[in-house]
Structures are given as C-alpha cells and as structure tokens.
Amino acid sequence: MAVHEHPHRSSGFHLPSFRRNRNAATSESAVSALSDTHTARAYVLASLRLLTGFVFLWAFLDKTFGLGYATSSGKGWIDGGSPTKGFLGSVAAGPMESTFHDWAGAAWADWLFMLGLLGIGVALIAGVALRFAALAGTLMMALMWVAEWPPAQHLSDGSPSMSTNPFAEYHVVYAVVLIALAAASAGDALGLGRLWAKLPLVRRSPWLR
C-alpha cells in the first residue's frame, strides 16, 4: 500500500496570532476613554452646579443677614430691611415698570423672592429637585430680566440705560445653565441626585427630579 502525503495538511504548528488580543485591547481602550470622558463631563457639570448654587445661596445669606457686600450691615432682612424694595423700586424701564414699583417692599414679594433664592440654592448644592429648581429659577430670572429690561437704550427719564446687550445678559445665561443642569441630571455626581431619584415620591413624580 502506497502512502501519499497531503501537501496541504497542517502540521499542527501555528505562529501565535495577536489579532484577537489587539482587537480586545482596542475595544477596552475605547471603553476606558469613553468612561473617562463621561466621568470628566459629570464632574464639570457638578462643579458648575455647585458654583451656581452658591450664587443663589450667597444672595440669600447676604440679603438676610446684611453681610456688607450687596446688602449693608444692619440692613438685612433679619434687621427689618426689604430684599425687594431697592431693586424693584429702582426699575426705570420696560413694560412692567409701574407694576414692579407697586410690588417693591411688599411682604409677599419679599418672602417669595427669598424663599426662591434659598430653595434654588439648596437644591443646586445638594443636587436634588433640579427640574423644579430650573423651573423656579427660570421664572425668577425672567422677571429680573424684565425688571432690568436690557432692550431699552434709554430709561424712562431719557438717560442712557447703559445696557451692554439687548438680549443675552446674565439673567438669560443663568436660566440656560439651570435648564442644562436639570436636563443633564447634574446632581448625580458630587450630589445626592441618585439617592433622591430612588425616593418613592420622586419615582411617582418624575418632575421632582
């Protein structure tokens, strides 16, 4: 019986292949880079949230206790001063000028304004109820924008308004920041957002997130 060799038969010896390992390493690197980017974005948004929260909370503290910055010492809310009288009483342009003058110094206006500052500030610092904070903050910023009325080139007495931008001034920026923080769930990093979202009441009412 003749024995024939098969020229195409494998000898059973293979050089090591690195293709699978290389693909796996590339995939792991991509996942790691994506995770790092996601983490960096989360911490950037968390930092923005904390800074914005401090803006609101500081305004509340200064106006309440008269810390000597925007509110002089001894003229804080706790001393009998009005946190809205000076600002609303000095409105000198816009379609709601007379309305704001009527509101200036009213007890209900003081309470709503101060509770708004406190609530928004605490919510942002803690990273909870960001949707509600964004809604309340946007309403507050809209009213303050109308009170300053940036589109006006002149005040009601004819003097220049000194407006730096007819639309995109800082109240608009704050409103957009609040909405962005709520949309991005920025309370999950460096905040209590995840724990807050697990509460039964919040699960039943997603708008409280």
Side-chain angles (χ1 to χ4, degrees):
M1 178 182 292
V3 178
H4 300 281
E5 292 186 356
H6 296 278
H8 300 295
R9 179 174 297 175
S10 172
S11 64
F13 175 77
H14 300 278
L15 292 174
S17 173
F18 299 101
R19 179 176 299 176
R20 181 176 302 175
N21 292 338
R22 185 168 59 249
N23 290 341
T26 301
S27 177
E28 289 178 1
S29 297
V31 171
S32 178
L34 183 62
S35 177
D36 290 344
T37 300
H38 179 75
T39 300
R41 184 185 299 117
Y43 280 107
V44 168
L45 289 173
S47 299
L48 178 61
R49 189 197 83 236
L50 291 170
L51 288 172
T52 307
F54 184 71
V55 169
F56 283 88
L57 193 58
W58 175 260
F60 170 81
L61 294 173
D62 185 55
K63 293 179 183 301
T64 298
F65 301 106
L67 300 180
Y69 289 87
T71 306
S72 302
S73 179
K75 294 185 178 181
W77 193 28
I78 198 172
D79 300 309
S82 170
T84 63
K85 187 174 183 179
F87 177 67
L88 295 181
S90 63
V91 172
M96 294 184 64
E97 179 180 349
S98 60
T99 301
F100 286 132
H101 289 171
D102 293 337
W103 291 357
W108 64 266
D110 289 343
W111 276 95
L112 282 178
F113 180 59
M114 296 300 283
L115 289 177
L117 290 177
L118 177 62
I120 295 168
V122 171
L124 290 173
I125 294 293
V128 302
L130 295 185
R131 294 180 182 179
F132 187 76
L135 177 62
T138 298
L139 178 59
M140 179 184 291
M141 293 299 104
L143 288 171
M144 296 179 74
W145 186 87
V146 173
E148 294 196 1
W149 200 245
Q153 292 181 320
H154 297 87
L155 302 179
S156 55
D157 61 2
S159 61
S161 67
M162 304 301 291
S163 176
T164 58
N165 192 300
F167 175 72
E169 51 89 70
Y170 68 100
H171 291 111
V172 176
V173 175
Y174 278 133
V176 172
V177 167
L178 290 171
I179 294 171
L181 291 174
S185 299
D188 292 351
L190 300 179
L192 304 175
R194 295 184 187 278
L195 294 176
W196 176 261
K198 293 179 181 179
L199 296 178
L201 177 61
V202 179
R203 285 183 176 180
R204 292 194 298 269
S205 306
W207 63 272
L208 289 174
R209 294 194 61 184

